[in-house]
Amino acid sequence: MNYGGDSQGYWKFGMEQVIVRGDETWFSYFGEGTTFILWLCYIPSQIMGLSYVTGNILFGFLGFIGIRYIFVMTADLFPENHEVLGIPLFPAVFYFLNLHFWSAGVGKDAICFWGIAWFFFAVQKYKTRWWQAAIALFFVYLARPHMGQALISGAGLAILLGSEVKLGYKIVLSGLAAAGAILLLPSTLEALRIEELSFEALETMSGVRSAGLNTSNVGSGVNLASYSWPMKLFTYMFRPLFIDSHNIVTFLSSFENLLYLWLSLFIYRNWTPEAIRDMPLFIKAGMLTFIPVAWAFMGALSNLGIIMRMKNMTMIYFLLFCFFLIAYNKKLRIQKVQEKIRYYQQREEIKRKKKELAE
């Protein structure tokens, strides 16, 4: 295990940007971002002396639990399945490389993926799991404050606009989400070292933090400055494609991105107010979290590897959004066919009875 970059730095406490003054204790590392991951790693790594491989297994297990949350909700709440080239999307989408690759190692990615999935799993049945949502938000916010801010804001909007939540719960839950977003805002700005929470500020922050990889000298770097906004959005959501492949990971990712692109073409044809109304709450909240995050990152990340890593936290909800629209309309078509069959069966039964009476 000679590779791992930041991942090894977290587990072996080699992050040079984190300086501890005074006695080094567990809570010396408690804070947002990098320090929070070091805080999580301190006991298993520094006290228990577990190996880096074991650390990856532990964090990978959290990533697996996150995937399981999404898997269970999809199995329970989707009306129909859909096939592409004869392959059913469920459960095939849960075997995608990037879904597991970025959520299977020591670092912020596994914590955020698991925390976001757990949060939406709790929001879907908010009456009994509200306390789980609070714990999940704690982990996501401390790992990546801007993701925690987007998460609680997206969930609040989904609850407010959703039809499945009763008015009383809607007022209380959306009010709590709004209050939480406002209360967390000052610490979010402080943690991100920005003056205001805007798309421009987030773009600048993301660009600065990933500047070492956002260059054309890196194998997966792209010249983002010359791109139009539609091309930046296309790059963030659907690249790398096969023409961008330079290793096995980007080659396999091209199949995923091609599927994302293919499914996105069905949004216009399958979008209906009824489909949005009946869409599970976790997908609504996921999309309302995905949209601002994608908008902020698409103008700042010019390295395809970093893009794959950052969009992994929320891209699955875009895929499930497209999947649900197709499945919902497929269900309506099946219902129409069944209604026609019942109509003709009833018609034939009436004809048969009339014939018997005539005889």
Side-chain angles (χ1 to χ4, degrees):
M1 300 292 287
N2 297 321
Y3 301 97
D6 288 350
S7 179
Q8 288 217 42
Y10 289 130
W11 193 256
K12 298 180 179 179
F13 281 68
M15 308 298 285
E16 296 179 359
Q17 67 267 41
V18 177
I19 301 174
V20 176
R21 293 179 175 83
D23 295 334
E24 184 178 311
T25 64
W26 182 28
F27 273 88
S28 300
Y29 292 96
F30 188 79
E32 301 96 350
T34 298
T35 54
F36 179 65
I37 306 301
L38 293 172
W39 181 75
L40 290 176
C41 294
Y42 189 85
I43 290 179
S45 171
Q46 301 299 295
I47 295 180
M48 298 176 66
L50 300 180
S51 68
Y52 175 58
V53 174
T54 305
N56 281 302
I57 293 173
L58 293 174
F59 276 73
F61 177 72
L62 292 179
F64 168 76
I65 294 299
I67 291 171
R68 183 184 178 277
Y69 284 139
I70 304 172
F71 182 95
V72 169
M73 290 188 291
T74 302
D76 287 345
L77 301 171
F78 273 52
E80 296 289 339
N81 209 340
H82 180 68
E83 293 185 355
V84 175
L85 299 178
I87 301 173
L89 284 181
F90 180 83
V93 296
F94 290 95
Y95 291 96
F96 281 1
L97 169 68
N98 281 298
L99 197 61
H100 299 272
F101 183 82
W102 300 107
S103 60
V106 177
K108 299 174 185 176
D109 302 295
I111 295 296
C112 285
F113 182 86
W114 161 68
I116 291 170
W118 188 16
F119 182 85
F120 291 146
F121 179 76
V123 166
Q124 185 63 43
K125 293 190 176 180
Y126 54 87
K127 292 181 182 179
T128 56
R129 299 176 185 159
W130 59 268
W131 59 274
Q132 296 185 40
I135 298 173
L137 179 63
F138 167 82
F139 282 96
V140 176
Y141 182 82
L142 287 180
R144 286 193 172 118
H146 55 289
M147 289 304 303
Q149 192 79 39
L151 190 62
I152 192 171
S153 301
L157 283 173
I159 291 169
L160 185 63
L161 300 175
S163 60
E164 60 279 283
V165 183
K166 293 181 179 180
L167 182 60
Y169 283 107
K170 185 178 294 189
I171 294 172
V172 172
L173 292 175
S174 59
L176 288 173
I182 294 171
L183 289 173
L184 291 176
L185 183 58
S187 56
T188 301
L189 298 177
E190 182 180 354
L192 298 178
R193 295 179 177 84
I194 56 179
E195 295 182 359
E196 60 177 356
L197 194 64
S198 63
F199 290 129
E200 293 78 9
L202 287 173
E203 284 181 14
T204 303
M205 179 272 297
S206 301
V208 169
R209 294 193 176 188
S210 56
L213 289 173
N214 281 352
T215 65
S216 58
N217 297 324
V218 181
S220 55
V222 292
N223 185 14
L224 200 64
S226 63
Y227 288 177
S228 62
W229 280 106
M231 190 59 190
K232 289 179 181 179
L233 179 61
F234 181 87
T235 298
Y236 178 83
M237 295 190 65
F238 306 122
R239 291 178 67 185
L241 292 172
F242 296 104
I243 57 174
D244 303 309
S245 301
H246 64 281
N247 57 34
I248 186 63
V249 174
T250 53
F251 177 75
L252 294 176
S253 297
S254 299
F255 289 98
E256 297 179 28
N257 289 323
L258 190 62
L259 179 62
Y260 294 149
L261 179 58
W262 173 253
L263 291 178
S264 68
L265 300 177
F266 288 86
I267 293 177
Y268 177 77
R269 192 179 75 177
N270 291 279
W271 183 92
T272 61
E274 293 77 18
I276 301 299
R277 179 197 64 200
D278 296 338
M279 185 172 287
L281 183 59
F282 86 93
I283 299 182
K284 294 178 185 175
M287 280 301 295
L288 289 172
T289 302
F290 170 78
I291 291 170
V293 171
W295 188 266
F297 284 157
M298 73 180 190
L301 304 179
S302 58
N303 176 273
L304 298 180
I306 295 296
I307 287 173
M308 288 189 295
R309 174 182 171 185
M310 297 304 293
K311 76 179 183 181
N312 178 66
M313 296 180 289
T314 54
M315 193 67 180
I316 182 65
Y317 303 104
F318 171 78
L319 186 152
L320 293 177
F321 172 79
C322 300
F323 182 6
F324 182 85
L325 292 180
I326 297 171
Y328 186 86
N329 280 276
K330 183 178 180 179
K331 183 193 75 169
L332 294 182
R333 291 194 298 270
I334 291 173
Q335 287 177 345
K336 288 180 180 179
V337 171
Q338 290 174 340
E339 288 174 1
K340 286 184 178 180
I341 292 173
R342 283 196 297 268
Y343 168 77
Y344 285 114
Q345 286 176 341
Q346 291 172 355
R347 185 178 175 182
E348 291 299 319
E349 181 67 17
I350 293 171
K351 286 181 178 180
R352 185 184 63 79
K353 289 182 178 180
K354 286 183 177 180
K355 186 177 179 180
E356 289 177 352
L357 291 172
E359 293 176 352

